[in-house]
Amino acid sequence: MGAMVKSTLTSPPLPPLGSSAARVGSSAIRDLLALAERPEVISLAGGLPDARTFPVDALAAAAADALADDPGATLQYGPTEGDPQLRDLVAHRLGADRANVTITSGAQQALQLVARAVLDPGDVVALADPAYVGALQAFRSADARLAPLPSDHHGLQVQALVELIDAGTVPSLVYVTSSFDNPTGATLAGQRRVALAELAEEHGFWIVDDDPYGELRWAGSAPTPLRELTDRTIVLGSTSKILSPGLRVGWASAPVELSRAIVVLKQSTDLHTSALSQQIVRRALGDEPAMATHLAILRSAYQRQAGALADALDRHLPGALRFGRPDGGMFLWAELAPHVAADASADQLLERALACGTAFVPGSAFAVEPTGGHRRRLRLSFATATEEELDEAARRLAGALALG
Amino acid sequence: MGAMVKSTLTSPPLPPLGSSAARVGSSAIRDLLALAERPEVISLAGGLPDARTFPVDALAAAAADALADDPGATLQYGPTEGDPQLRDLVAHRLGADRANVTITSGAQQALQLVARAVLDPGDVVALADPAYVGALQAFRSADARLAPLPSDHHGLQVQALVELIDAGTVPSLVYVTSSFDNPTGATLAGQRRVALAELAEEHGFWIVDDDPYGELRWAGSAPTPLRELTDRTIVLGSTSKILSPGLRVGWASAPVELSRAIVVLKQSTDLHTSALSQQIVRRALGDEPAMATHLAILRSAYQRQAGALADALDRHLPGALRFGRPDGGMFLWAELAPHVAADASADQLLERALACGTAFVPGSAFAVEPTGGHRRRLRLSFATATEEELDEAARRLAGALALG
């Protein structure tokens, strides 16, 4: 039996994905978050988009159209690269060409294929710590060495990358979630983007810009995309946060030579992404007025919910949590003030929060190193709860912190 | 850049999958088969099921039902293992339990996940030569060493496996397509199954039984499934040949411990298979009377087409090709009689066949070793052409062999 079987057979059974549970590192946290699925818990621990925002009727109409108008493209084997018209649509959105774009089974697959295409075992991947756990899995499965770098509310501290390189470690790949990062919610600042792009050009590393949340901006203006600053950028995108994650449609946009390598790997991985899902997404993304309306509704809902959560935290836990008010995305990243539960980690507080009927993901779940970190941080999702539930969740959290 | 990029960037651009072209090894054959896509060619080279048999209305109704009745399960993130009810249905068909079954993005993904879960680099995979090219890709991407074994019209010659083991090489995994093999159409004989199962028990290797074609039997009776002979069997299945390949729904049924390892790998690969596709397949497979009717129609169509092809070969190329009449599946595997084009390989004949307006896949495309083999063999698909087209294709093939 292979190493993977040996190393995983001792793990506890996986909780269902859909909870954040399946994406976090420590099994202790995973076990606790499984409890967040109980109906009496108002969970802010999820990484899911709000199912109430799914454009069910439009997607049903798109499915019916696809099956009626083009059953061949919808039900037969299709090209590994993806549906040509969908590739054109994605390329258009990114200012790229069809040849740059590979349609993938969600951005998670794009991440894994890019990691396998670009990295040799032992290659260094630099990334912000904390990080999206799915990215850590993808890079670890490519046997990369991870170089965690500090980040703040302007995203990855690029100066720390300069220092890493000056100390003799040039990464093969730098991973960023440039807009509304998971878990920190941070957007990489414009000047840091310029500096990062210049470093990529100078040292020849790839930048992977994982961008599932960029369209969810309701305030402020987006800095220049990394892809416009350097051709060393590989953009990953997804319909999971703007249409529906269940369809499993994402993409990678990369230089043509690299796209070819991605397609070769994808072919032996799953031949191609669900043709029906691609036909639905093509129709939904292609209807620009409807898509603009849908995104406006989505942004407005998340803006309202983000504001409701921030207000509720101010109301029920004044001064206890430090956080910035989000301009977009799905997450609020908070730090416990020093005087609050001074001896406790967020991991420990999660247990108390569950007893009080709410849940969050503790910062340590996103630590790059297994030794942890971010022990006084909480990731709070405002995406799926109602304004009333968000208020009640904050009240319960105050109770858990013995502030209620 | 990684080894994969280096080794693949020099390859020619991939032709679209959907032709068999993307699955065959040699780039010269690939280039020729790209020509088989021209409208004037009656191609018997495809590996596709017949699009005329897709139950479009039933699938459209299932899609509409799923989106209307359960948009949550259809559009939201779902469990990595797959939809519980679909897992139950698959388990029921296989005499397994839900915990054994992982829903995958087609059987190709199941193959790749199983290869990664079971194999360490350098482990030996024994399999019949010729073989399905997608399996070779999956095992090669797991850095396995391939041990090709001879096969005949009763499938893998298990005695050759005994000799391999006696000579000191115990494989970690033995790969078989037990029913209506691609490319040979052979079904592994009952006694060989018993012998293979006993070897697996004795030496502790896994048997991967890749079974996309088993339901397409219209004559004879199926031997006992390998899964009933030994728990060392991992069964791979797919809806691609019985419902629609574009949905990309397959499965692996394996012992529970191994299933867990498969799920861990799948999670970092694509989180889960398209939830919409799963909901559609659950409804289609779950309607047993409709499914039985559909399969009866499908078998009857393929039976008619297989007979039409065999008759046409007898009529237009009497004595020139040696083949058995298929009892199921999609392929007829033929050998050129010694006196026909005695100096030519099937590769060379393909060029002449294309000039005459027909196409097949030459046997060398399925050779396990890059040095080739099966040079006088042809894989002819009877799945997609009409009876008239099959007759005309045989006539053109006779012309290409200078028999017309």
Side-chain angles (χ1 to χ4, degrees):
Chain A
M1 268 206 282
M4 178 52 68
V5 171
K6 287 178 207 128
S7 64
T8 54
L9 287 185
T10 51
S11 303
L14 286 183
L17 207 135
S19 69
S20 273
R23 309 222 198 132
V24 299
S26 133
S27 60
I29 296 175
R30 233 168 27 191
D31 291 347
L32 280 177
L33 287 176
L35 302 176
E37 304 289 300
R38 290 179 308 185
E40 67 272 24
V41 175
I42 300 173
S43 176
L44 310 185
L48 313 185
D50 187 349
R52 294 166 301 177
T53 68
F54 295 158
V56 180
D57 292 344
L59 297 174
D65 277 3
L67 285 160
D69 297 347
D70 200 349
T74 308
L75 295 176
Q76 188 55 287
Y77 284 113
T80 300
E81 299 86 333
D83 176 72
Q85 287 178 264
L86 177 56
R87 293 168 70 206
D88 283 346
L89 274 170
V90 171
H92 178 71
R93 290 165 85 91
L94 297 175
D97 295 323
R98 183 195 293 184
N100 300 117
V101 175
T102 308
I103 305 299
T104 58
S105 303
Q108 181 66 37
Q109 185 183 57
L111 246 179
Q112 209 219 20
L113 294 174
V114 166
R116 287 173 62 201
V118 166
L119 299 172
D120 282 321
D123 279 359
V124 172
V125 172
L127 76 179
D129 182 2
Y132 166 58
V133 181
L136 301 182
Q137 289 176 342
F139 296 130
R140 288 201 176 112
S141 80
D143 292 323
R145 285 184 295 147
L146 300 178
L149 299 173
S151 68
D152 56 32
H153 62 290
H154 293 304
L156 179 76
Q157 291 180 15
V158 176
Q159 183 53 38
L161 176 61
V162 173
E163 289 160 18
L164 180 75
I165 292 170
D166 285 349
T169 300
V170 178
S172 300
L173 187 159
V174 175
Y175 173 79
V176 293
T177 307
S178 62
S179 298
F180 313 120
D181 176 54
N182 176 9
T184 70
T187 292
L188 188 64
Q191 287 186 317
R192 292 192 185 177
R193 292 177 186 223
V194 172
L196 178 59
E198 286 173 357
L199 286 171
E201 300 271 347
E202 183 182 345
H203 297 284
F205 58 76
W206 292 105
I207 300 170
V208 171
D209 184 2
D210 190 4
D211 190 26
Y213 306 107
E215 304 255 27
L216 301 179
R217 174 181 289 281
W218 56 75
S221 57
T224 307
L226 281 159
R227 64 179 185 269
E228 295 180 15
L229 299 174
T230 173
D231 290 341
R232 305 293 300 170
T233 307
I234 303 163
V235 183
L236 311 185
S238 170
T239 56
S240 293
K241 308 306 190 293
I242 58 172
L243 282 172
S244 146
L247 298 175
R248 307 307 305 129
V249 175
W251 49 81
S253 179
V256 173
E257 299 281 276
L258 182 55
S259 291
R260 258 181 227 152
I262 291 168
V263 170
V264 169
L265 288 169
K266 181 167 169 64
Q267 190 174 310
S268 67
T269 298
D270 64 359
L271 301 184
H272 63 84
T273 293
S274 165
L276 173 60
S277 288
Q278 292 188 70
Q279 291 300 316
I280 292 172
V281 167
R282 158 151 88 85
R283 282 163 175 78
L285 284 186
D287 184 346
E288 289 188 22
M291 195 68 205
T293 304
H294 169 64
L295 283 174
I297 293 170
L298 190 58
R299 287 182 198 116
S300 158
Y302 284 172
Q303 175 175 26
R304 220 168 30 242
Q305 288 160 224
L309 174 60
D311 290 347
L313 295 175
D314 283 344
R315 189 160 49 243
H316 296 294
L317 302 95
L321 290 175
R322 294 167 174 184
F323 58 88
R325 289 192 167 237
D327 290 339
M330 292 170 33
F331 303 112
L332 187 152
W333 181 241
E335 182 170 21
L336 291 160
H339 66 278
V340 176
D343 303 333
S345 69
D347 298 45
Q348 294 164 319
L349 292 174
L350 172 59
E351 202 159 353
R352 282 156 60 179
L354 280 162
C356 295
T358 191
F360 55 86
V361 184
S364 64
F366 306 97
V368 173
E369 306 286 3
T371 46
H374 318 295
R375 56 186 295 279
R376 300 275 291 170
R377 296 279 194 169
L378 299 77
R379 190 195 76 177
L380 304 168
S381 165
F382 47 79
T384 53
T386 64
E387 293 174 63
E388 295 68 32
E389 288 169 337
L390 289 163
D391 184 77
E392 176 61 18
R395 205 187 59 74
R396 295 180 184 180
L397 190 58
L401 296 181
L403 302 166
Chain B
M1 267 206 279
M4 179 51 66
V5 171
K6 285 177 207 131
S7 64
T8 55
L9 287 185
T10 52
S11 305
L14 286 183
L17 206 136
S19 70
S20 274
R23 311 223 197 133
V24 298
S26 133
S27 61
I29 296 176
R30 230 163 35 186
D31 291 347
L32 280 177
L33 288 177
L35 303 176
E37 304 289 302
R38 291 179 309 185
E40 68 272 22
V41 175
I42 300 173
S43 177
L44 310 185
L48 313 185
D50 187 349
R52 294 167 300 178
T53 67
F54 295 159
V56 180
D57 292 344
L59 297 175
D65 277 2
L67 285 159
D69 296 348
D70 200 349
T74 308
L75 296 175
Q76 187 57 285
Y77 284 114
T80 299
E81 299 86 335
D83 175 72
Q85 287 178 264
L86 178 55
R87 293 169 70 206
D88 284 345
L89 274 171
V90 171
H92 178 70
R93 290 165 85 90
L94 297 175
D97 295 324
R98 183 195 293 182
N100 300 116
V101 174
T102 308
I103 305 299
T104 59
S105 303
Q108 180 67 37
Q109 185 184 57
L111 247 179
Q112 209 218 20
L113 294 175
V114 166
R116 288 172 63 201
V118 167
L119 300 171
D120 282 322
D123 278 359
V124 172
V125 172
L127 76 179
D129 182 1
Y132 167 56
V133 181
L136 300 181
Q137 289 176 344
F139 296 129
R140 288 201 175 110
S141 81
D143 292 323
R145 285 184 296 147
L146 299 178
L149 299 173
S151 68
D152 55 33
H153 62 291
H154 292 303
L156 179 77
Q157 291 181 14
V158 176
Q159 184 53 37
L161 175 61
V162 172
E163 288 160 18
L164 180 77
I165 293 171
D166 285 348
T169 300
V170 178
S172 301
L173 187 159
V174 176
Y175 172 79
V176 293
T177 307
S178 62
S179 298
F180 313 119
D181 177 53
N182 176 7
T184 69
T187 291
L188 187 64
Q191 286 185 319
R192 293 192 185 177
R193 292 177 187 224
V194 172
L196 178 60
E198 286 173 358
L199 286 171
E201 300 270 348
E202 182 181 347
H203 297 284
F205 58 76
W206 292 105
I207 300 170
V208 172
D209 184 2
D210 190 3
D211 190 26
Y213 306 107
E215 304 255 27
L216 301 179
R217 172 182 290 280
W218 57 77
S221 58
T224 306
L226 281 159
R227 64 179 185 268
E228 295 181 15
L229 300 174
T230 172
D231 290 342
R232 304 293 300 170
T233 306
I234 303 163
V235 182
L236 312 185
S238 170
T239 56
S240 293
K241 308 305 189 292
I242 57 171
L243 281 171
S244 144
L247 298 175
R248 308 304 307 125
V249 175
W251 50 80
S253 179
V256 173
E257 299 282 275
L258 181 54
S259 291
R260 258 180 225 155
I262 291 168
V263 170
V264 169
L265 289 169
K266 179 165 171 65
Q267 190 174 311
S268 68
T269 298
D270 63 359
L271 301 184
H272 64 83
T273 293
S274 165
L276 173 59
S277 289
Q278 291 188 71
Q279 291 300 316
I280 291 172
V281 167
R282 158 151 87 86
R283 282 163 175 78
L285 284 187
D287 185 346
E288 288 187 23
M291 196 68 204
T293 304
H294 170 63
L295 284 173
I297 293 170
L298 191 59
R299 287 181 197 115
S300 159
Y302 284 172
Q303 176 175 24
R304 220 167 31 241
Q305 287 159 224
L309 175 59
D311 290 347
L313 295 175
D314 283 343
R315 188 158 52 241
H316 295 293
L317 302 96
L321 288 176
R322 295 170 173 180
F323 58 88
R325 290 190 167 237
D327 290 339
M330 292 171 35
F331 303 112
L332 186 151
W333 181 242
E335 182 170 22
L336 290 160
H339 65 278
V340 176
D343 303 334
S345 70
D347 299 44
Q348 293 163 320
L349 291 175
L350 172 60
E351 202 159 354
R352 282 154 61 178
L354 280 162
C356 296
T358 191
F360 55 85
V361 184
S364 65
F366 305 98
V368 173
E369 305 285 2
T371 47
H374 318 293
R375 54 186 296 281
R376 301 273 293 168
R377 296 280 192 169
L378 300 76
R379 190 195 75 178
L380 304 168
S381 164
F382 49 79
T384 54
T386 64
E387 293 175 63
E388 296 69 32
E389 288 169 337
L390 289 163
D391 184 77
E392 176 61 19
R395 206 188 57 76
R396 293 179 185 181
L397 191 58
L401 295 181
L403 303 167

